[in-house]
Amino acid sequence: IHLSSIKNSVKSFILEQYEERRYFNPQKLSDVRYENLPFCMRVLLESAIRKCDGFYIKTDDVSSILDWQMQQNQAEVAFSPARVLLQDFTGIPAMVDLAAMRDALAKQGVDPNLVNPRCHTDLIVDHSLQIDYSKCAIQSPPTPTDESHGAAVRSPAGRPSPRGSSSGGHCAGQRPGHRGGCSKASCSDAPSGRSAAVQIENTPLLCPFHLQPVSEPETMIRNQEMELIRNKERLQFFKWCSKAFKNINVVPPDINTVHQVNLEYLCQVVQEGEGFIYPDSVVGTDSHTTMINGLGILGWGVGGIESEAVMLGQPVSLTLPQVIGCKLVGTINPLATSIDIVLGITKHLRQAGIGGKFVEFFGPGVQQLSAPDRTTIANMCPEYNATVSFFPVDDITLQHFKHTICSEEKLVVLEDYLKAIKLFKSYGDQSEDPQYSEVIEMNLSSIVPHVSGPKRPQDRVAVTCMKEDFINCLNEKVGFKGFHVSKEKQATQVPFLHEGAEYNLAHGSVVIAAVISCTNNCNPSVMLAAGLLAKKAVEAGLTVKPYIRTSLVPGSGTVTHYLNTTGVLPYLRKLGFEVVGYGCATCVGNTAPLPESVVDAIKQGDLVACGVLSGNRHLEGRLCDCVRANYLASPPLVVAYAIAGTVSINLETEPLGVNSEGKDVYLRDIWPSKEEVNHTEENIVIASMFKELRSRMEKGSTFWNRIESAESALFPWDPKSTYIRCPAFFSKLSKEVCAPQSIEGAYPLLFLGDKVTTDHISPAGSIARVSAAARYLQSKRLTPREFNSYGARRGNDAVMTRGTFASIKLQNRLIGKTGPKTLHIPSGQTLDVFEAAERYQRDGVPLIILAGKEYGSGSSRDWAAKGPYLMGVRAVIAESFEKIHRNHLVGMGIAPLQFLPGQNADSLELCGKERFTINIPQELTPRQQLTVQTSTGKSFSVTALFENDMDVAFFRHGGILKYVARSLLL
């Protein structure tokens, strides 16, 4: 069957029926190359077949993907993902553009309701919360006031203000030996913000000190109120979008972060639409988008204009990547936690040098990784510089979906469909392994658990070598690791009395043990492992010596909830690991004083006593001035060393302790297996958390529901708004498409060097008080403290355009110094870049930018192309462009022009003050050479970096926004 006919006969041939659902089966191509493709490339192929229309996606795209082995790193293909994922900072300019497009069509007499995202879009409002109130300031917080209207904001409807409530923040509990009930000040230390709002099913919010139910923390309510005030206009706009547009789903604030909602609610694995089923895939504007690859869903991060283009029906353009196969073999060390595994694999891939490539995991070792392990590894892509890290769907993935997003019926459909098109993987079956560009093998047994210490976090010690390493530290001279204890004193033991019983302290004795759920130890599996180990230890008759200062400080209320729900919290408490509160404690030295008898014994013997904690900082003497050796360890190892009472122990060969029957108990006897931890995590913790999230998504929140918005097809722009403004992209929209016009007599707005990044071009961060954007806001009667940030004002083109090229690090050769200034060439005046551009536009003078190599590198930002467009920039002439930014320029109708090889502004002796005429033919073609003439008589050629007919079409129309708008006018 010839691929050239795929648009017609082949498409019909490979179409199959599953019950009442239809799907395209690439296997029907009867091409042996399909089964050799990496699974991630099979997803690209299915999409190309299904979306092949001869314009956006051509038969050549299908042919190139099928011939991936020969075409990798060469062929450019188009990919249409199933959906788009936006967070609110990048989502608001995209939605403002669509709202403006509706206005433009309405002025032309066209129904504005025709303007909707063509690709399903999810917009998660999760970037607007700021911490104005915390547990330290909640006792007497000021009533938040809407500064623009001078009115105090009330508490959510139906709820009295917690500050005025006699019971708010109190619990009825009382800890044994603790006098009185819990004070309001104590209970206000309950978890705040988003974490507090995520509760395990049927588990109440608990007082962190007494584990008794308390009312909702005041901090969360107060922060929500401030979020509503500060972002009122943005939230009202999002609310309007959720009602006005079809094919878009707005997830309101106070639900969860964008990547968690994507993982826990939005992902479908197999999508259904228009009578078809097909693989789920996504592009997102959040850096955590890659997490989704851990569940067998292809996805990666893109810039704002790229995501907007996909929303409007344009595919993503990419060069067929190399796919590195990461083969996992061997058996995971029983003492290795999920964190050990993730960091071990990350380090291995970082050393392999896989920048910009796809990674796909295979091999029997993958079966030992839980779904959360896989998503965490996939999320680490930026750490090892891969584009995606793909884990094909297998039985473990299906089991995860059973507890989260899928009904039994959908699971059957999902499994049958993926097996039918060979997107389901049996990792133990080598016959299913595809061919890769390169294979990197990693033996999981090489990943061994480590601790860090005794003085610096970067000094890692394998647990198996801990005893030997500690003795070496005693021998070494005082330094980064050494304590210089003489040989004859290393066996010193000091007896002491504590609570009427006699104990002995020695070098290496543990006197502080803190389980802290912070930073890299927030993974549920490691905290569950600590709890399950404690349970087994108690059941085995082991105890922790009472003089050891033990504590449990969860990173959030969620951790307490799942420890409580799984039933392990009482066992931790039995060993002395009782929840003492939430916040930074042991890490920063906020440890309760050691018993005097312990301190005296340490000083008497000049002992190197030890602290073990699962935090991230442990400098010498930080925990306590008499505790010189401190080790960072995983939560279960903290519990283990607390039971052992010393770090001078080989946990593999020496017993942790003796039970009541006098029998030795080893760590291996009580260490929970990875299967046991994964089972508890999947069946209790994750299932409950997902059910809670679904419930919150379906019910919404009072916070969001009480926001009012217009009921209209057109957005009611407020001329006084400084957050939301109708942009000028459609100001000259006509039904007819004019032929490409030459750029005549253009002045360079800027003359730049190499590696000009999007940070130099695009507004980011705070708004400087002396900037053009600041002057605009001041003209709107805003004070500097009300400026907010460029990110928050991305829906206002007046602010964003004034911020374009406003970087203090911009090096413009026209003025010869660093700063956001340029030369207005006709007058010879040095002005802000925006002011100069404004003057050129007023005089009807087109603009260009001269640049060196790698123009537009760095983070992808939509306003790095939108800003120059609104300034009047028609072309950028550079030695080379960052690929994504080149796409953005084309998407905004700006011509990316490249000097010929070996040429640049210096070799052509350009001073940047000339006027430039760029001859653009009416029949423009991809990668055509154009002639540039200067006012000084010079002439040179450049290459127009339009890669395909689609790029040319966008440029002819003045960008993708006008292209789509005109398609609706016809």
Side-chain angles (χ1 to χ4, degrees), residues 633-793:
S634 66
L637 282 177
V638 172
V639 177
Y641 279 114
I643 294 171
T646 180
V647 299
S648 186
I649 181 175
N650 187 322
L651 292 177
E652 285 190 334
T653 60
E654 298 179 59
L656 286 178
V658 178
N659 63 16
S660 56
E661 300 175 356
K663 182 180 177 181
D664 288 341
V665 179
Y666 292 84
L667 181 60
R668 59 178 175 269
D669 299 327
I670 62 171
W671 189 271
S673 67
K674 186 164 178 58
E675 293 74 21
E676 184 180 359
V677 174
N678 290 346
H679 181 269
T680 304
E681 183 179 20
E682 285 282 357
N683 289 273
I684 300 178
V685 178
I686 291 178
S688 297
M689 292 175 70
F690 276 63
K691 187 173 182 179
E692 170 68 18
L693 176 63
R694 284 197 299 270
S695 174
R696 297 180 67 203
M697 290 283 290
E698 292 164 3
K699 294 178 181 178
S701 66
T702 304
F703 173 63
W704 173 255
N705 294 336
R706 67 189 174 117
I707 295 175
E708 297 179 356
S709 64
E711 301 280 348
S712 59
L714 299 178
F715 182 70
W717 308 97
D718 181 358
K720 296 180 180 179
S721 174
T722 57
Y723 279 97
I724 307 294
R725 200 177 101 121
C726 185
F729 299 133
F730 304 97
S731 58
K732 297 180 181 179
L733 181 67
S734 61
K735 290 185 179 181
E736 298 77 23
V737 183
C738 298
Q741 300 292 315
S742 295
I743 302 172
E744 297 183 358
Y747 272 120
L749 177 63
L750 296 160
F751 187 8
L752 306 172
D754 295 341
K755 296 184 178 180
V756 174
T757 71
T758 52
D759 283 329
H760 295 114
I761 307 169
S762 176
S766 60
I767 298 173
R769 295 189 180 193
V770 296
S771 65
R775 287 191 289 275
Y776 167 80
L777 294 174
Q778 287 170 337
S779 73
K780 300 296 182 179
R781 298 184 177 181
L782 295 183
T783 62
R785 65 189 183 90
E786 295 172 304
F787 286 174
N788 212 324
S789 66
Y790 281 115
R793 296 190 182 274

Side-chain angles (χ1 to χ4, degrees), residues 190-441:
S192 62
R194 298 188 186 279
S195 299
V198 182
Q199 298 183 37
I200 300 297
E201 180 194 12
N202 297 325
T203 306
L205 189 65
L206 302 178
C207 165
F209 295 101
H210 308 120
L211 304 179
Q212 298 295 323
V214 297
S215 63
E216 191 173 29
E218 294 180 38
T219 52
M220 182 173 68
I221 298 173
R222 294 301 188 195
N223 283 319
Q224 285 178 350
E225 290 173 345
M226 290 304 298
E227 181 178 10
L228 176 59
I229 295 168
R230 182 180 288 112
N231 298 282
K232 181 179 178 181
E233 294 178 25
R234 298 170 65 244
L235 295 177
Q236 285 178 329
F237 177 72
F238 285 138
K239 191 69 173 284
W240 174 81
C241 290
S242 69
K243 295 186 290 186
F245 289 106
K246 298 178 182 177
N247 214 21
I248 186 166
N249 170 46
V250 177
V251 178
D254 196 40
I255 295 296
N256 214 324
T257 55
V258 56
H259 51 287
Q260 288 301 118
V261 173
N262 189 28
L263 281 174
E264 300 171 4
Y265 187 81
L266 301 176
C267 70
Q268 297 296 314
V269 189
V270 173
Q271 293 275 4
E272 294 192 40
E274 299 179 354
F276 290 94
I277 55 176
Y278 50 92
D280 190 9
S281 55
V282 61
V283 292
T285 59
D286 184 78
S287 59
H288 297 284
T289 304
T290 55
M291 290 182 78
I292 207 68
N293 292 280
L295 299 180
I297 299 169
L298 186 63
W300 61 87
V302 295
I305 290 180
E306 280 182 300
S307 63
E308 200 168 335
V310 176
M311 288 171 63
L312 296 173
Q314 180 195 355
V316 175
S317 178
L318 75 155
T319 302
L320 276 177
Q322 288 184 288
V323 182
I324 307 300
C326 185
K327 185 175 184 179
L328 302 182
V329 298
T331 303
I332 295 173
N333 187 309
L335 299 184
T337 66
S338 294
I339 299 300
D340 293 318
I341 297 165
V342 169
L343 294 181
I345 291 175
T346 298
K347 179 181 178 181
H348 192 78
L349 291 175
R350 186 189 297 121
Q351 293 173 340
I354 54 173
K357 302 173 184 177
F358 281 23
V359 175
E360 185 169 290
F361 289 85
F362 73 109
V366 180
Q367 299 172 98
Q368 300 173 64
L369 301 179
S370 67
D373 290 342
R374 300 177 188 187
T375 57
T376 307
I377 293 167
N379 185 47
M380 297 294 280
C381 277
E383 293 297 321
Y384 44 86
N385 206 24
T387 303
V388 301
S389 285
F390 193 74
F391 288 84
V393 174
D394 69 340
D395 289 325
I396 291 175
T397 322
L398 292 181
Q399 189 68 16
H400 176 77
F401 291 143
K402 180 180 179 180
H403 296 137
T404 55
I405 63 171
C406 288
S407 62
E408 290 287 350
E409 179 185 0
K410 183 167 183 178
L411 268 178
V412 173
V413 174
L414 188 154
E415 183 174 1
D416 289 348
Y417 168 68
L418 293 178
K419 287 182 176 178
I421 64 171
K422 291 199 175 291
L423 281 178
F424 188 89
K425 181 84 169 95
S426 297
Y427 286 101
D429 186 353
Q430 292 187 10
S431 65
E432 295 185 7
D433 293 348
Q435 295 179 4
Y436 295 105
S437 308
E438 178 186 348
V439 173
I440 299 172
E441 184 171 301

Side-chain angles (χ1 to χ4, degrees), residues 85-136:
L85 183 70
L86 304 175
Q87 41 95 333
D88 52 336
F89 270 16
T90 50
I92 198 163
M95 300 314 300
V96 165
D97 291 347
L98 291 189
M101 190 184 296
R102 283 194 167 193
D103 278 14
L105 263 64
K107 290 177 182 177
Q108 299 278 354
V110 178
D111 182 4
N113 288 301
L114 294 176
V115 177
N116 293 289
R118 297 181 179 181
C119 179
H120 177 79
T121 301
D122 295 294
L123 193 160
I124 292 82
V125 186
D126 74 330
H127 278 53
S128 58
L129 178 68
Q130 294 184 28
I131 302 175
D132 295 284
Y133 299 92
S134 65
K135 63 183 182 180
C136 298

Side-chain angles (χ1 to χ4, degrees), residues 529-542:
L532 292 171
L533 185 142
K535 181 176 182 292
K536 292 188 174 189
V538 171
E539 291 172 346
L542 297 178

Side-chain angles (χ1 to χ4, degrees), residues 146-162:
D146 186 336
E147 296 174 2
S148 60
H149 299 89
V153 176
R154 297 179 180 180
S155 298
R159 184 195 302 274
S161 172

